[in-house]
Amino acid sequence: MSTTQVAAQSSASEHTQPSSRRLISLDVFRGLLVAGMVLVTNAGSWSYVYWPLKHADWNGLTPTDMIFPSFLFLVGISMTFSFIKRRNQGETPAKTCIHIVQRSVLLIFIGLFLNCFDLFQLPDLRIPGVLQRIGLCYLLGGLLYLFISGCRPVRRMGMLITVVVLLPAVYWMLQTLMPVPGYGAGRLDPVGTLSAYLDRAVFTTKHLWHWGGPGQVWDPEGLLTTLPAMANLLLGILAGEWLRSPSLKANSASRKVVGMVVLGVALMLIAIALNPLIPINKKIWTPSFVLFSGGFSFLALALLHWLIDLKGWRKGLAPSLIFGSNAILGFALANILNPMIGLVKFHDSTGSLMTIPGVIFQAFATFLDPWSASLVYALLFTLLIGVILWAFYHKRIFIKL
C-alpha cells in the first residue's frame, strides 16, 4: 500500500460491497460535511451570517444543523464496512473491542486538545465537544454493534431498530419527567433542562461551551444529549447493513436507493408531525430532531449513492474527495488555525485594535454588503484548509485511526 497512515481519522476509508466496489459516495458525503463544518464555524463576522449558515437559536432548524448528525450517520456506515473487513481478516472480537476503545479514547483526547485553542487556558478548558461526542457515540455504538454482530441479519437489524427507538424515547422521558432541583420537571430551556443541570453538576460552568459567554449554563455537546445523538450513529449502521446486504436481483441496488428515499421521507414527515409536541431542537437533540436529521441523512446518501456509485458521476468530485480523505485533519486544522490567526493583533491607522480576520472582513466590506463580506472570508478560510488538505492528498498521505 503506497499511502502513509497516521492515527487520527474517525471513520474508515475502506468501503467494499459484496462486489468489492468502493462506495465513493461515502467519501464525497464526508467531504461535503467537513467542508461545511469549516465554512459555518469561521465567519468573517458573527454579526453578519446568512441564516442557512447558522444554527437555530433554540427550537427549529437550519441546513447547518444537519451537518453534525449526518457525520455521526457516516461514522455508523463506515463502522459496518470496517468491522466486516476486520472479521474477514481473522481479527478476534476481543481485538476489535480494544480497537473500539482505543479509537474512542483518541478521539476524546484530540477533542480536548483542540478545545485548548479556544482560550489557551487550561483552567477554563471546555470538556465537552464535537470529537468528544463522536468518541462516546463510537464507543457505545461500536460495542453494541460488536455484541450483536454474530446474530442473523434480520435479528441484528431488529435489535438495532429497537435501540434506535428506545434511546431517544428514554432520553425524552428523563428530560420531561425527572424533576430538576430548583426548576422542576419539564423545563425545555437552556437553564432548566435536566441535561443542562447534569452538565453544570459534572463539569461546572467554567468548563462548558465558551461561546455562550460568561456563566454559560449549558453545552450543546453535553453528556445526556449524547444518548439520542448515538441514535444517529445507529441509523448509519442500519444504512450500512442495508447497503452491503447481498441480493441476487439485478436491480437490487436501485431498490436499495428507493428504500432509503422512502425511509428518509417517512422519518422527516414523522418528525414534522411530532414537532408541536416534541419540538425539533438540535441544542438538546430532541427525538424529533433525531428523526428529521436521520431522514435527511438517508435522503442525502440515497442521492449521492445513486448519482456517483450507480450512475458513475465523477465531475467536480475532487474537492469533496480531498476534504473527505482527511476529515479529522481538516477539522483539526480549522480549529487550530482560526484561534491562532485571531491571536495576531495590531493597531490600525486610527489606533483601533484589529485582527487578521477583522482586516480581511473590513476589506471586503468596503465594496460588499457585510453578510457577503463575512461569507467571502469563510469561503477563503475553507479554501485555505482545502489547499493544505490537497497537499496531503497529492502526496497520498491520509491521517487515519
Side-chain angles (χ1 to χ4, degrees), residues 385-400:
I385 300 300
V387 169
I388 297 173
L389 293 181
W390 172 84
F392 281 82
Y393 187 84
H394 181 68
K395 295 293 184 180
R396 310 303 296 169
I397 301 173
F398 305 113
I399 311 299
K400 304 174 185 177

Side-chain angles (χ1 to χ4, degrees), residues 39-229:
L39 180 69
V40 303
T41 54
N42 292 280
S45 171
W46 290 108
S47 299
Y48 303 100
V49 181
Y50 290 112
W51 75 264
L53 304 179
K54 297 193 296 183
H55 290 293
D57 291 334
W58 194 246
N59 292 336
L61 52 81
T62 70
T64 295
D65 291 325
M66 297 295 99
I67 294 176
F68 192 11
S70 292
F71 195 85
L72 286 170
F73 181 83
L74 274 180
V75 172
I77 295 177
S78 298
M79 193 181 296
T80 64
F81 291 97
S82 175
F83 280 24
I84 192 65
K85 180 181 178 181
R86 289 175 175 275
R87 187 173 64 186
N88 290 342
Q89 291 176 341
E91 183 172 280
T92 64
K95 191 171 181 180
T96 303
C97 181
I98 293 173
H99 165 77
I100 293 170
V101 174
Q102 288 176 335
R103 172 174 282 189
S104 302
V105 170
L106 184 56
L107 282 168
I108 293 170
F109 175 79
I110 295 173
L112 291 171
F113 173 76
L114 293 178
N115 281 357
C116 293
F117 287 87
D118 275 346
L119 296 178
F120 294 92
Q121 295 179 2
L122 287 178
D124 296 312
L125 173 69
R126 180 194 174 199
I127 296 177
V130 169
L131 292 186
Q132 292 91 311
R133 170 160 288 180
I134 294 174
L136 287 174
C137 288
Y138 187 88
L139 175 65
L140 299 174
L143 291 177
L144 171 65
Y145 187 52
L146 180 63
F147 178 75
I148 66 174
S149 60
C151 300
R152 292 176 179 269
V154 173
R155 179 176 172 80
R156 188 164 62 239
M157 296 278 276
M159 294 173 73
L160 285 170
I161 293 172
T162 300
V163 177
V164 167
V165 172
L166 284 177
L167 275 176
V170 171
Y171 160 79
W172 194 243
M173 286 190 289
L174 291 173
Q175 282 277 45
T176 56
L177 301 179
M178 182 172 289
V180 177
Y183 300 99
R187 286 279 295 268
L188 297 177
D189 56 86
V191 179
T193 57
L194 176 63
S195 54
Y197 173 80
L198 289 176
D199 289 336
R200 292 194 298 269
V202 174
F203 301 122
T204 74
T205 56
K206 290 181 63 176
H207 299 290
L208 298 181
W209 192 47
H210 296 150
W211 295 106
Q216 174 68 25
V217 294
W218 67 280
D219 196 292
E221 278 82 49
L223 285 175
L224 187 61
T225 52
T226 297
L227 286 179

Side-chain angles (χ1 to χ4, degrees), residues 240-314:
E241 289 274 310
W242 177 247
L243 282 173
R244 70 179 186 85
S245 61
S247 176
L248 298 177
K249 296 179 180 179
N251 61 347
S252 62
S254 298
R255 288 174 179 265
K256 289 177 181 179
V257 170
V258 172
M260 288 190 290
V261 170
V262 171
L263 180 58
V265 171
L267 290 177
M268 296 176 79
L269 289 177
I270 294 172
I272 293 171
L274 288 175
N275 184 53
L277 298 175
I278 305 175
I280 298 174
N281 185 312
K282 177 188 179 294
K283 297 292 196 301
I284 54 175
W285 218 285
T286 57
S288 55
F289 178 76
V290 172
L291 292 171
F292 192 94
S293 59
F296 171 87
S297 298
F298 272 107
L299 287 178
L301 175 63
L303 173 62
L304 293 172
H305 179 52
W306 175 79
L307 188 64
I308 298 171
D309 300 318
L310 303 186
K311 296 301 179 181
W313 182 273
R314 294 294 183 271

Side-chain angles (χ1 to χ4, degrees), residues 325-388:
S325 64
N326 272 310
I328 294 299
L329 177 61
F331 180 81
L333 284 173
N335 279 270
I336 292 173
L337 289 179
N338 187 43
M340 291 188 71
I341 292 174
L343 285 178
V344 180
K345 298 180 180 179
F346 52 90
H347 293 277
D348 63 10
S349 58
T350 65
S352 300
L353 192 63
M354 299 292 292
T355 63
I356 293 177
V359 170
I360 297 174
F361 167 73
Q362 293 280 357
F364 283 107
T366 58
F367 59 90
L368 294 173
D369 65 82
W371 285 271
S372 297
S374 180
L375 175 58
V376 168
Y377 174 83
L379 289 170
L380 287 175
F381 188 87
T382 305
L383 178 62
L384 171 63
I385 300 300
V387 169
I388 297 173

